Coordinates of all heavy atoms in Angstrom, one line a residue:
G62 N -9.3 -8.2 15.9 CA -8.0 -7.4 16.0 C -6.8 -8.3 16.2 O -5.7 -8.0 15.6
A63 N -7.0 -9.4 17.0 CA -5.9 -10.2 17.2 C -5.3 -10.9 15.9 O -4.1 -10.9 15.7 CB -6.2 -11.2 18.3
V64 N -6.3 -11.3 15.0 CA -5.9 -11.9 13.8 C -5.4 -10.9 12.8 O -4.3 -11.1 12.2 CB -7.1 -12.6 13.1 CG1 -6.9 -13.0 11.7 CG2 -7.5 -13.7 14.0
A65 N -5.9 -9.6 12.7 CA -5.5 -8.5 11.8 C -4.1 -8.2 12.2 O -3.2 -8.1 11.3 CB -6.4 -7.4 12.0
Q66 N -3.8 -8.0 13.5 CA -2.4 -7.6 13.9 C -1.4 -8.7 13.5 O -0.3 -8.4 13.0 CB -2.4 -7.5 15.4 CG -3.3 -6.4 16.0 CD -2.5 -5.1 16.0 OE1 -1.4 -4.9 15.7 NE2 -3.3 -4.0 16.2
R67 N -1.8 -10.0 13.8 CA -0.9 -11.1 13.3 C -0.6 -11.1 11.9 O 0.5 -11.6 11.4 CB -1.4 -12.4 13.9 CG -1.3 -12.7 15.3 CD -1.7 -14.1 15.8 NE -1.5 -14.2 17.2 CZ -0.5 -14.7 17.7 NH1 0.7 -14.8 17.0 NH2 -0.3 -14.8 19.1
L68 N -1.5 -10.7 11.1 CA -1.4 -10.8 9.6 C -0.4 -9.6 9.2 O 0.4 -9.8 8.3 CB -2.7 -10.6 8.9 CG -3.7 -11.8 8.9 CD1 -5.0 -11.4 8.4 CD2 -3.0 -12.9 8.1
V69 N -0.6 -8.5 9.7 CA 0.2 -7.3 9.3 C 1.7 -7.2 9.8 O 2.5 -6.7 9.2 CB -0.6 -6.0 9.5 CG1 -0.5 -5.6 11.0 CG2 -0.2 -4.9 8.6
V70 N 1.9 -7.8 11.1 CA 3.2 -7.7 11.7 C 4.2 -8.1 10.9 O 5.3 -7.6 10.8 CB 3.1 -8.3 13.1 CG1 4.4 -8.6 13.7 CG2 2.4 -7.4 14.2
P71 N 4.2 -9.4 10.2 CA 5.3 -9.9 9.5 C 5.7 -9.0 8.3 O 6.9 -8.9 8.0 CB 4.8 -11.3 9.0 CG 3.7 -11.7 9.9 CD 3.1 -10.3 10.5
L72 N 4.7 -8.3 7.8 CA 4.9 -7.4 6.7 C 5.7 -6.1 7.2 O 6.7 -5.6 6.6 CB 3.7 -7.0 6.1 CG 2.8 -8.0 5.3 CD1 1.4 -7.6 5.0 CD2 3.5 -8.4 4.1
E73 N 5.3 -5.7 8.3 CA 5.9 -4.4 8.9 C 7.3 -4.6 9.5 O 8.0 -3.6 9.6 CB 4.9 -3.8 9.9 CG 3.7 -3.3 9.3 CD 2.8 -2.5 10.1 OE1 3.0 -2.5 11.4 OE2 2.0 -1.6 9.6
R74 N 7.5 -5.9 9.9 CA 8.9 -6.1 10.6 C 10.0 -6.6 9.5 O 11.0 -6.9 9.9 CB 8.7 -7.1 11.6 CG 7.9 -6.7 12.8 CD 7.9 -7.7 13.9 NE 7.2 -7.3 15.1 CZ 6.9 -8.0 16.1 NH1 7.3 -9.2 16.2 NH2 6.3 -7.4 17.1
A75 N 9.6 -6.5 8.2 CA 10.5 -7.0 7.2 C 11.8 -6.1 7.1 O 12.8 -6.7 6.8 CB 9.8 -7.1 5.9
F76 N 11.6 -4.9 7.4 CA 12.7 -3.9 7.2 C 12.7 -2.9 8.4 O 11.6 -2.3 8.8 CB 12.7 -3.1 5.9 CG 12.8 -4.0 4.7 CD1 11.5 -4.3 4.0 CD2 13.9 -4.5 4.2 CE1 11.6 -5.0 2.9 CE2 14.0 -5.4 3.1 CZ 12.8 -5.6 2.4
P77 N 13.9 -2.7 9.0 CA 14.0 -1.6 10.1 C 14.0 -0.3 9.6 O 14.4 0.0 8.4 CB 15.3 -2.1 10.9 CG 16.1 -2.6 9.8 CD 15.2 -3.4 8.8
V78 N 13.7 0.7 10.4 CA 13.9 2.0 10.1 C 15.4 2.4 10.1 O 16.2 2.0 10.9 CB 13.2 3.0 11.1 CG1 13.4 4.4 10.8 CG2 11.7 2.7 11.3
P79 N 15.8 3.2 8.9 CA 17.3 3.4 8.9 C 17.8 4.2 10.1 O 17.0 5.0 10.8 CB 17.4 4.2 7.5 CG 16.1 3.7 6.8 CD 15.1 3.5 7.8
A80 N 19.0 4.3 10.4 CA 19.6 5.1 11.5 C 19.4 6.5 11.2 O 19.2 7.1 10.0 CB 21.0 4.8 11.5
R81 N 19.2 7.3 12.3 CA 18.8 8.6 12.4 C 19.8 9.5 11.5 O 19.5 10.6 11.0 CB 18.7 9.2 13.7 CG 18.1 10.6 13.9 CD 16.6 10.5 13.5 NE 16.0 11.8 13.6 CZ 16.1 12.8 12.7 NH1 16.7 12.6 11.5 NH2 15.5 13.9 12.8
D82 N 21.2 9.1 11.5 CA 22.2 9.9 10.8 C 22.4 9.4 9.4 O 23.4 9.9 8.8 CB 23.3 9.9 11.7 CG 23.9 8.4 11.8 OD1 23.3 7.5 11.6 OD2 25.2 8.3 12.3
S83 N 21.5 8.4 8.9 CA 21.9 7.9 7.5 C 21.5 9.0 6.5 O 20.7 9.9 6.7 CB 21.0 6.7 7.3 OG 19.5 7.0 7.5
R84 N 22.3 8.9 5.3 CA 22.0 9.8 4.3 C 21.9 9.1 3.0 O 22.3 8.0 2.9 CB 23.3 10.8 4.2 CG 23.6 11.7 5.5 CD 22.7 12.9 5.4 NE 23.1 13.7 6.5 CZ 22.7 13.7 7.8 NH1 22.1 12.6 8.1 NH2 23.1 14.7 8.6
A85 N 21.4 9.8 2.0 CA 21.1 9.2 0.7 C 21.1 10.4 -0.3 O 20.9 11.6 0.0 CB 20.0 8.4 0.6
E86 N 21.2 10.1 -1.6 CA 21.1 11.1 -2.6 C 19.6 11.6 -2.8 O 19.4 12.7 -3.2 CB 21.6 10.6 -4.0 CG 23.1 10.3 -3.9 CD 23.5 9.6 -5.2 OE1 23.6 10.2 -6.3 OE2 23.9 8.4 -5.1
A87 N 18.7 10.6 -2.6 CA 17.3 11.0 -2.9 C 16.4 10.2 -1.9 O 16.8 9.2 -1.3 CB 16.9 10.7 -4.3
A88 N 15.2 10.8 -1.8 CA 14.1 10.1 -1.1 C 13.1 9.8 -2.1 O 12.5 10.8 -2.7 CB 13.6 10.9 0.1
V89 N 12.9 8.6 -2.4 CA 11.8 8.2 -3.4 C 10.5 7.9 -2.6 O 10.4 6.9 -1.8 CB 12.2 6.9 -4.3 CG1 11.1 6.5 -5.1 CG2 13.5 7.4 -5.1
V90 N 9.4 8.6 -2.9 CA 8.1 8.5 -2.2 C 7.2 7.8 -3.2 O 7.0 8.4 -4.3 CB 7.6 9.9 -1.7 CG1 6.2 9.6 -1.2 CG2 8.5 10.4 -0.7
L91 N 6.6 6.7 -2.7 CA 5.6 6.1 -3.6 C 4.2 6.7 -3.3 O 3.8 6.8 -2.1 CB 5.6 4.6 -3.3 CG 6.9 3.8 -3.6 CD1 6.8 2.3 -3.6 CD2 7.6 4.3 -5.0
A92 N 3.4 7.0 -4.2 CA 2.1 7.6 -4.1 C 1.1 6.5 -3.6 O 1.4 5.5 -3.1 CB 1.6 8.2 -5.4
G93 N -0.2 6.8 -3.9 CA -1.3 5.9 -3.4 C -1.9 6.5 -2.1 O -2.3 5.6 -1.3
T94 N -1.9 7.7 -2.0 CA -2.2 8.3 -0.8 C -3.3 9.4 -1.0 O -4.0 9.8 -0.1 CB -1.0 9.0 0.0 OG1 -0.7 10.2 -0.9 CG2 0.0 8.1 0.0
V95 N -3.4 10.0 -2.2 CA -4.3 11.1 -2.5 C -5.6 10.8 -2.9 O -5.9 9.8 -3.7 CB -3.6 12.0 -3.5 CG1 -4.5 13.1 -3.9 CG2 -2.2 12.5 -3.0
D96 N -6.6 11.5 -2.4 CA -8.0 11.5 -3.0 C -8.1 12.4 -4.2 O -8.2 13.6 -4.2 CB -9.0 12.0 -1.8 CG -10.4 11.9 -2.3 OD1 -10.7 11.8 -3.5 OD2 -11.3 11.8 -1.3
L97 N -7.9 11.7 -5.3 CA -7.8 12.5 -6.6 C -9.0 13.2 -7.0 O -9.0 14.3 -7.6 CB -7.5 11.4 -7.7 CG -6.1 10.7 -7.6 CD1 -5.9 9.7 -8.7 CD2 -4.9 11.9 -7.9
A98 N -10.2 12.7 -6.6 CA -11.4 13.3 -6.9 C -11.7 14.7 -6.2 O -12.4 15.6 -6.7 CB -12.7 12.4 -6.8
R99 N -11.1 14.8 -5.1 CA -11.3 16.0 -4.3 C -10.1 16.9 -4.0 O -10.1 17.9 -3.4 CB -11.8 15.5 -2.8 CG -13.1 14.9 -2.8 CD -13.5 14.5 -1.4 NE -14.9 13.8 -1.4 CZ -15.1 12.7 -1.6 NH1 -14.2 11.8 -1.9 NH2 -16.3 12.2 -1.5
S100 N -8.9 16.6 -4.8 CA -7.7 17.3 -4.5 C -7.4 18.3 -5.6 O -8.0 18.1 -6.8 CB -6.5 16.4 -4.4 OG -6.6 15.6 -3.3
S101 N -6.7 19.3 -5.3 CA -6.3 20.4 -6.3 C -4.9 20.7 -5.9 O -4.3 20.4 -4.8 CB -7.1 21.6 -6.3 OG -7.0 22.3 -5.1
L102 N -4.2 21.4 -6.8 CA -2.8 21.9 -6.5 C -2.8 22.8 -5.3 O -1.8 22.9 -4.5 CB -2.2 22.6 -7.8 CG -2.0 21.7 -9.0 CD1 -1.4 22.4 -10.1 CD2 -1.0 20.5 -8.6
E103 N -3.9 23.5 -5.0 CA -4.0 24.5 -3.9 C -4.3 23.7 -2.6 O -3.8 24.2 -1.5 CB -5.0 25.6 -4.1 CG -4.6 26.5 -5.3 CD -4.8 25.9 -6.6 OE1 -5.6 24.9 -6.8 OE2 -4.0 26.2 -7.6
R104 N -5.0 22.6 -2.7 CA -5.4 21.9 -1.5 C -5.4 20.4 -1.7 O -6.3 19.9 -2.5 CB -6.9 22.4 -1.0 CG -7.3 21.6 0.2 CD -8.6 22.1 0.6 NE -9.1 21.4 1.9 CZ -8.7 21.7 3.1 NH1 -8.0 22.7 3.3 NH2 -9.4 21.1 4.1
V105 N -4.5 19.7 -1.2 CA -4.4 18.3 -1.4 C -5.2 17.5 -0.3 O -4.9 17.8 0.9 CB -2.9 17.8 -1.4 CG1 -2.9 16.3 -1.7 CG2 -2.3 18.5 -2.6
E106 N -6.1 16.7 -0.7 CA -6.9 15.8 0.3 C -6.3 14.3 0.2 O -6.2 13.8 -0.8 CB -8.4 15.7 -0.2 CG -9.1 17.1 -0.1 CD -9.4 17.6 1.4 OE1 -9.4 16.6 2.2 OE2 -9.8 18.6 1.6
F107 N -6.0 13.9 1.5 CA -5.5 12.4 1.5 C -6.6 11.6 2.0 O -7.3 11.9 2.9 CB -4.3 12.4 2.6 CG -3.1 13.3 2.2 CD1 -3.0 14.5 2.6 CD2 -2.1 12.7 1.5 CE1 -1.8 15.2 2.3 CE2 -1.0 13.3 1.0 CZ -0.8 14.6 1.5
H108 N -6.7 10.5 1.4 CA -7.6 9.4 1.9 C -6.9 8.4 2.8 O -7.5 7.8 3.6 CB -8.2 8.6 0.8 CG -7.3 7.9 -0.2 ND1 -6.6 6.8 0.1 CD2 -7.0 8.2 -1.6 CE1 -5.8 6.5 -0.8 NE2 -6.0 7.2 -1.9
D109 N -5.5 8.4 2.8 CA -4.9 7.6 3.7 C -3.4 7.8 3.5 O -3.0 8.4 2.5 CB -5.2 6.1 3.2 CG -4.9 5.1 4.4 OD1 -4.6 5.5 5.5 OD2 -5.2 3.9 4.1
R110 N -2.6 7.4 4.5 CA -1.0 7.2 4.3 C -0.3 8.6 4.0 O 0.6 8.6 3.2 CB -0.7 6.2 3.2 CG -1.4 4.9 3.5 CD -1.4 4.0 2.2 NE -2.3 2.9 2.4 CZ -2.8 2.1 1.4 NH1 -2.2 2.3 0.2 NH2 -3.6 1.2 1.6
P111 N -0.7 9.7 4.6 CA 0.0 10.9 4.3 C 1.5 10.9 4.8 O 2.3 11.7 4.5 CB -0.8 12.0 5.1 CG -1.4 11.2 6.2 CD -1.8 9.8 5.6
E112 N 1.8 9.9 5.7 CA 3.1 9.9 6.3 C 4.2 9.7 5.3 O 5.3 10.0 5.3 CB 3.3 8.7 7.2 CG 2.4 8.7 8.5 CD 1.0 8.2 8.4 OE1 0.5 8.0 7.2 OE2 0.3 8.0 9.4
R113 N 3.7 9.1 4.1 CA 4.8 8.9 3.0 C 5.4 10.1 2.5 O 6.6 10.3 2.6 CB 4.1 8.1 1.9 CG 3.6 6.7 2.2 CD 3.1 6.1 0.9 NE 2.5 4.8 1.2 CZ 2.0 3.9 0.3 NH1 2.2 4.2 -1.0 NH2 1.5 2.8 0.5
I114 N 4.5 11.2 2.0 CA 5.0 12.4 1.7 C 5.6 13.3 2.7 O 6.7 14.0 2.6 CB 4.0 13.1 0.7 CG1 4.6 14.3 0.1 CG2 2.8 13.5 1.6 CD1 5.7 14.1 -0.9
I115 N 5.1 13.2 3.8 CA 5.5 14.0 5.0 C 6.9 13.6 5.4 O 7.8 14.4 5.6 CB 4.6 13.9 6.2 CG1 3.3 14.5 5.8 CG2 5.2 14.5 7.5 CD1 2.1 14.3 6.9
E116 N 7.1 12.3 5.4 CA 8.5 11.9 5.8 C 9.5 12.0 4.7 O 10.6 12.4 5.0 CB 8.5 10.3 6.3 CG 9.8 9.8 6.9 CD 9.9 10.5 8.4 OE1 9.0 11.0 8.8 OE2 11.0 10.3 8.8
G117 N 9.1 11.9 3.5 CA 10.0 12.1 2.4 C 10.4 13.5 2.3 O 11.6 13.8 2.1
A118 N 9.4 14.5 2.5 CA 9.7 15.9 2.5 C 10.8 16.2 3.6 O 11.7 17.0 3.5 CB 8.5 16.8 2.5
R119 N 10.4 15.6 4.8 CA 11.3 15.9 6.0 C 12.7 15.4 5.8 O 13.7 16.1 6.2 CB 10.6 15.2 7.2 CG 11.3 15.5 8.6 CD 10.5 15.0 9.7 NE 10.7 13.6 9.9 CZ 11.8 13.0 10.4 NH1 12.7 13.7 11.0 NH2 11.9 11.7 10.5
L120 N 12.9 14.4 5.1 CA 14.3 13.9 4.8 C 15.1 14.8 4.0 O 16.2 15.1 4.2 CB 14.2 12.5 4.1 CG 13.8 11.3 4.8 CD1 13.6 10.1 4.0 CD2 14.9 11.0 5.9
V121 N 14.3 15.5 3.0 CA 15.0 16.6 2.3 C 15.2 17.8 3.1 O 16.4 18.4 3.1 CB 14.1 16.8 0.9 CG1 14.8 18.0 0.2 CG2 14.1 15.6 0.1
L122 N 14.2 18.3 3.8 CA 14.3 19.5 4.6 C 15.4 19.3 5.7 O 16.0 20.3 6.0 CB 13.0 19.8 5.3 CG 11.9 20.1 4.4 CD1 10.5 20.3 5.0 CD2 12.1 21.5 3.7
E123 N 15.7 18.2 6.2 CA 16.7 18.0 7.2 C 18.1 17.7 6.6 O 19.1 17.5 7.3 CB 16.3 16.8 8.0 CG 15.1 17.0 8.9 CD 14.8 15.8 9.9 OE1 15.4 14.8 9.7 OE2 13.9 16.1 10.8
G124 N 18.1 17.7 5.3 CA 19.4 17.5 4.6 C 19.9 16.0 4.5 O 21.1 15.8 4.1
R125 N 19.0 15.1 4.8 CA 19.4 13.7 4.7 C 19.3 13.2 3.3 O 19.8 12.1 3.1 CB 18.6 12.9 5.6 CG 18.8 13.3 7.2 CD 17.9 12.4 8.1 NE 18.1 11.0 7.9 CZ 17.3 10.1 8.5 NH1 16.3 10.6 9.3 NH2 17.6 8.8 8.3
A126 N 18.6 13.9 2.4 CA 18.6 13.6 1.0 C 18.5 14.8 0.2 O 17.9 15.9 0.6 CB 17.3 12.7 0.7

Side-chain angles (χ1 to χ4, degrees):
V64 172
Q66 299 271 354
R67 286 187 177 276
L68 286 172
V69 80
V70 162
L72 296 168
E73 295 193 335
R74 290 184 178 174
F76 300 100
V78 178
R81 190 70 181 81
D82 60 351
S83 57
R84 298 282 190 277
E86 296 170 72
V89 174
V90 174
L91 302 189
T94 69
V95 175
D96 186 337
L97 292 172
R99 294 180 174 85
S100 292
S101 66
L102 294 177
E103 292 72 33
R104 181 180 176 83
V105 178
E106 294 281 347
F107 293 92
H108 58 68
D109 204 1
R110 309 161 194 168
E112 296 90 343
R113 296 185 186 185
I114 186 61
I115 292 172
E116 192 66 16
R119 191 171 70 84
L120 287 169
V121 174
L122 292 171
E123 291 182 353
R125 295 177 61 189

